[in-house]
């Protein structure tokens, strides 16, 4: 199905048409992009914009409306009152999601006439954030009750079909007013970049509406989609990542396959590896490019004179190694794999003779506030070892503490490199 997208271009590549196109495409619909304005911006600021002549805008819309079966339209940045009025006329017979963009996230104004936005509210499903809802309703918003009242006022006075007041600026809860009823959608705080969230939400919403979902279900799905765009956001653009689902699934498949092959090779070390498996077991973890970590469920354990994995490769199967790996990747993102072995002075000395960068941390030096914090030791230890080495460590060890088994961690840029490092440490010949 085709979805019309009317919005501005973000030259920083984080929001606007690019985010809209990626979102609609990722959700399986065909985007028809209509350009309203070109902004001059980067992730830090908007220095200005140029609005497309209204005649050029009309020509763009009419060209596609006569050819495609359009199920819905998303309207974002308009730039001028003239464009707002043309868009309202050209799309009045379509299911319309209107994101009433008034200013950039850094505060630069993106419409020459705020009052002109109201012509597009009528008949639309409107998705204002808190400041935009305050401007449209005249109500100061400080609570969910204020959000509800603002949504009701916008719907009743400006004749919107539905209003979703987004709570990202306030409490992470979105409020929908539709058919005289209120619906609330609590959110969770997600770490990541948020530039482009408004575009991604409204575009996801229009895609789900085009699929036939009623507004409450479409809002719920769009909200969860946007949480994923933030969780897997793009550091280079300092913006959300609308392609996260496609990328995540591809990265997951590759990581699972890579780690399964590496574990198969590791098990072949058998009797040589057996003495080096800790009492708590060995595990082998691998991170995807999006920072998700796979490991062996139940770990790799001694089995008679040899070793065997207890379970399959699964996401988040080892909290211990996941935290160690993610902390290492904060310093060296190219490191993707880690495996733990029983501490042995001979293995440490052999690693040093082989030219590996070896570092350590002493758990007895752990600050009291870290000890009191839940699950903080691993992150503290890896950071200490990295700073002690002054460069990327290949091997990190610690000598344990009361109730804590001494351990060696072997890192690598991929699972194969870790397997090869274990092989040479165990003095095994290449196969």
């Amino acid at each position: 199905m085709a979805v019309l997208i009317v919005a501005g271009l973000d030259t920083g590549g984080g929001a606007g048409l690019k985010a809209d196109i990626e979102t609609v495409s990722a959700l399986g619909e065909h985007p028809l992009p209509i350009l309203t304005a070109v902004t001059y911006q980067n992730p830090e600021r908007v220095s200005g914009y140029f609005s497309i002549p209204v005649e050029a805008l009309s020509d763009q819309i009419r060209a596609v409306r006569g050819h495609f079966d359009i199920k819905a339209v998303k309207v974002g940045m308009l730039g001028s009152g003239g464009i707002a009025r043309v868009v309202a006329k050209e799309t009045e017979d379509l299911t319309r999601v209107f994101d009433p963009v008034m200013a950039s996230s850094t505060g630069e104004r993106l419409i020459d006439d705020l009052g002109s936005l109201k012509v597009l509210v009528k008949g639309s499903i409107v998705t204002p954030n808190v400041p935009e809802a305050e401007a449209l309703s005249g109500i100061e918003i400080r609570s969910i009750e204020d959000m509800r009242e603002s949504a009701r006022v916008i719907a009743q006075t400006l004749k919107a079909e539905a209003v979703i007041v987004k709570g990202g600026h306030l409490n992470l809860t979105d409020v929908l007013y539709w058919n005289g009823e209120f619906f609330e959608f609590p959110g969770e705080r997600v770490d990541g970049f948020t530039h482009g969230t408004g575009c991604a939400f409204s575009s996801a919403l229009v895609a789900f509406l085009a699929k036939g979902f009623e507004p409450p279900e479409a809002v719920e799905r769009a909200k969860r989609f946007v949480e994923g765009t933030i969780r897997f956001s793009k550091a280079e653009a300092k913006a959300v990542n609308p392609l996260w689902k496609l990328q995540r699934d591809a990265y997951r498949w590759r990581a699972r396959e890579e780690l399964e092959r590496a574990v198969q090779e590791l098990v072949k070390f058998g009797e040589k590896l057996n003495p080096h498996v800790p009492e708590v077991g060995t595990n082998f973890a691998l991170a995807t490019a999006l920072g998700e970590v796979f490991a062996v469920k139940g770990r790799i354990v001694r089995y008679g004179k040899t070793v065997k994995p207890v379970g399959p490769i699964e996401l988040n199967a080892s909290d211990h190694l996941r935290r160690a790996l993610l902390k290492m990747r904060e310093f060296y993102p190219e490191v993707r794999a880690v495996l733990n072995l029983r501490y042995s002075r001979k293995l440490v000395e052999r690693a040093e003779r082989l030219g590996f960068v070896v570092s350590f941390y002493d758990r007895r030096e752990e600050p009291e506030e870290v000890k009191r914090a839940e699950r903080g030791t691993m992150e503290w230890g890896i950071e200490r070892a990295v700073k002690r080495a002054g460069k990327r460590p290949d091997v990190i060890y610690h000598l344990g503490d009361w109730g804590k088994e001494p351990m060696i961690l072997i890192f690598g840029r991929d699972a194969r490199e870790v397997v090869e490092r274990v092989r040479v440490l165990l003095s095994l010949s290449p196969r």
Side-chain angles (χ1 to χ4, degrees), residues 97-111:
V97 172
F98 177 39
D99 183 12
V101 178
M102 299 178 182
S104 69
S105 56
T106 51
E108 293 82 7
R109 189 162 163 169
L110 295 175
I111 183 75

Side-chain angles (χ1 to χ4, degrees), residues 37-163:
V38 178
T39 67
Y40 318 133
Q41 68 174 295
N42 55 47
E44 306 301 328
R45 64 184 293 266
V46 178
S47 56
Y49 70 89
F50 169 76
S51 293
I52 298 297
V54 292
E55 296 81 6
L57 179 80
S58 296
D59 289 344
Q60 290 179 77
I61 296 175
R62 290 172 183 174
V64 295
R65 288 217 61 181
H67 186 80
F68 294 92
D69 179 18
I70 299 172
K71 297 299 181 183
V73 55
K74 173 261 170 79
V75 179
M77 177 194 171
L78 296 164
S80 74
I83 287 177
R85 289 184 285 274
V86 169
V87 172
K89 181 179 179 181
E90 296 286 352
T91 64
E92 61 185 351
D93 59 333
L94 295 172
T95 297
R96 186 169 62 205
V97 172
F98 177 39
D99 183 12
V101 178
M102 299 178 182
S104 69
S105 56
T106 51
E108 293 82 7
R109 189 162 163 169
L110 295 175
I111 183 75
D112 63 358
D113 175 14
L114 290 177
S116 66
L117 295 176
K118 295 181 180 180
V119 304
L120 271 159
V121 173
K122 184 178 181 180
S124 295
I125 298 171
V126 192
T127 64
N129 57 30
V130 166
E132 291 161 350
E134 289 179 331
L136 290 173
S137 67
I139 295 172
E140 184 179 29
I141 298 175
R142 294 293 180 269
S143 66
I144 289 180
E145 280 304 314
D146 294 339
M147 294 170 70
R148 290 163 67 99
E149 181 62 13
S150 175
R152 186 189 62 78
V153 168
I154 293 170
Q156 293 182 354
T157 62
L158 300 180
K159 308 303 180 185
E161 179 183 341
V163 180

Side-chain angles (χ1 to χ4, degrees), residues 12-26:
L17 273 178
K18 180 176 179 290
D20 297 328
I21 291 168
E22 289 180 343
T23 299
V24 170
S25 298

